[in-house]
Amino acid sequence: LLFTALAVWALDEATKTPEALLSLANEALSQNRLGDAVSFYQQGIELVDEDETPVLTTLSLYTNIGTAVDSLGREEEAAQHYQKALLFLENVLGDLSDEEVLRDAKQIGAQAT
């Protein structure tokens, strides 16, 4: 609880971004602080701007919150988050040109290596 309060306090409005919250949530998830992770993922999702937030960040928020709630035994809720991730991805892929998809795929591949 103390970590959560300090972490959120450290994020002022200028730095409270989906990316920062994703990072905090992933750290909480890796430490098995599932409630904190869900809270951070949810806050990150609420701040997503589909025109500004990177696709990978948005997709990670949706899938990772699914993982966290599934770990809490909330399988139906997890399935809903995974469904949102799939719908988001379908919308993005439908909106992108082949060049944009290729560029993003190269970026993701570069990050993975």
Side-chain angles (χ1 to χ4, degrees):
L1 182 61
L2 179 60
F3 171 82
T4 303
L6 289 174
V8 173
W9 176 79
L11 292 176
D12 63 24
E13 290 308 308
T15 59
K16 195 174 195 181
T17 65
E19 294 87 355
L21 288 160
L22 175 63
S23 179
L24 284 172
N26 286 343
E27 183 177 340
L29 185 63
S30 73
Q31 296 172 359
N32 205 36
R33 294 188 347 265
L34 301 175
D36 290 341
V38 170
S39 176
F40 289 137
Y41 289 130
Q42 190 60 51
Q43 290 177 58
I45 289 168
E46 290 169 6
L47 294 175
V48 165
D49 176 340
E50 290 188 18
D51 294 326
E52 299 292 326
T53 305
V55 170
L56 189 55
T57 298
T58 304
L59 193 57
S60 294
L61 285 164
Y62 282 126
T63 57
N64 293 5
I65 196 172
T67 300
V69 297
D70 186 49
S71 295
L72 289 168
R74 297 167 15 200
E75 293 86 9
E76 288 183 32
E77 184 180 348
Q80 292 172 356
H81 289 293
Y82 294 138
Q83 183 65 33
K84 288 177 185 176
L86 289 172
L87 290 172
F88 170 76
L89 190 57
E90 286 176 6
N91 288 335
V92 168
L93 292 176
D95 291 343
L96 295 178
S97 69
D98 290 338
E99 289 177 28
E100 289 173 306
V101 171
L102 183 57
R103 183 193 70 228
D104 287 349
K106 286 181 182 179
Q107 271 186 323
I108 292 168
Q111 291 173 358
T113 57

